[in-house]
Amino acid sequence: MIGAEAFWNKTARKYAASPVKDMAAYEDTLARTRAHLAATDRVLEVGCGTGSTALLLADSVAHITGTDISSEMIAIANEKLQASAPGNVTFLRTTLEDEMPEDVPFDAALAFSFLHLHEDLPAAIRAIHERLKPGGVFISKTVVLGEGSFLWRLVIPPMRLLGMAPPVRFLTTRTLEETIRAGGFEMIERHTYTGSFAPHFIAARKV
């Protein structure tokens, strides 16, 4: 069974070449996210993947730091960064368990398609909370497989054994929201998208 870092390193180039499956939902997520950001914000994105979202949001904030567990994902993100050359984006290979190599806290933190992949959700929320200023905003969009087809519970374990899927949690909307609240946040926006994975968008404020 392959670990998360090895899986994403192995699949990074294929992932980078894959088109966005639901462009309308993606653009809606970007718009919802921008509505909670300010031009003066310093932003952290955890699980930034190949950096596309960070680069698209760069013109809305002062600086954005994208981090990912996968060195190959970060290599691709830096290739994109060199091609587009915005001066306010940094990509780093690091995890929430590592010390940030630059000053914290941040004004906002983003986690798109990330929380259901982290092995310890409460720990992830605590780490994000620690990296935010008082009143800072946490924005996430998370696959809630616990509310999807039961078929995924049958299919994903053998896919994991074959190295075809990363470690994944079968979260529900209720569990996700309760964990975020328990981690020191209050909800300011919620939205569930349609589709087989039913991704759930949350904007929350650090209290």
Side-chain angles (χ1 to χ4, degrees), residues 119-146:
E119 63 181 2
D120 188 338
L121 180 60
I125 300 302
R126 286 195 301 270
I128 290 167
H129 188 274
E130 291 172 358
R131 285 162 169 75
L132 284 171
K133 294 179 179 178
V137 175
F138 172 43
I139 302 170
S140 64
K141 185 178 179 182
T142 307
V143 171
V144 283
L145 284 173

Side-chain angles (χ1 to χ4, degrees), residues 104-121:
V104 290
F106 293 89
D107 300 288
L110 316 176
F112 300 122
S113 299
F114 171 79
L115 295 178
H116 68 292
L117 300 174
H118 198 281
E119 63 181 2
D120 188 338
L121 180 60

Side-chain angles (χ1 to χ4, degrees), residues 32-67:
R32 290 176 184 274
T33 299
R34 288 190 179 99
H36 295 285
L37 300 177
T40 56
D41 281 351
R42 291 177 60 255
V43 179
L44 169 68
E45 183 185 5
V46 297
C48 70
T50 61
S52 295
T53 299
L55 292 170
L56 287 171
L57 292 173
D59 62 357
S60 300
V61 300
H63 189 273
I64 185 164
T65 300
T67 67

Side-chain angles (χ1 to χ4, degrees), residues 22-34 36 112-113 139-145 147-148 173 176-177 189-203:
D22 189 341
M23 183 56 73
Y26 181 64
E27 291 177 347
D28 182 78
T29 298
L30 291 175
R32 290 176 184 274
T33 299
R34 288 190 179 99
H36 295 285
F112 300 122
S113 299
I139 302 170
S140 64
K141 185 178 179 182
T142 307
V143 171
V144 283
L145 284 173
E147 296 177 1
T173 299
L176 177 64
E177 291 191 356
E189 183 183 354
R190 292 172 288 178
H191 177 75
T192 299
Y193 291 89
T194 59
S196 58
F197 294 121
H200 191 58
F201 177 92
I202 291 174

Side-chain angles (χ1 to χ4, degrees), residues 1-4 7 155-168:
M1 190 176 293
I2 191 170
F7 173 83
V155 170
I156 289 179
M159 290 178 67
R160 288 273 296 115
L161 288 172
L162 295 171
M164 298 172 61
V168 63

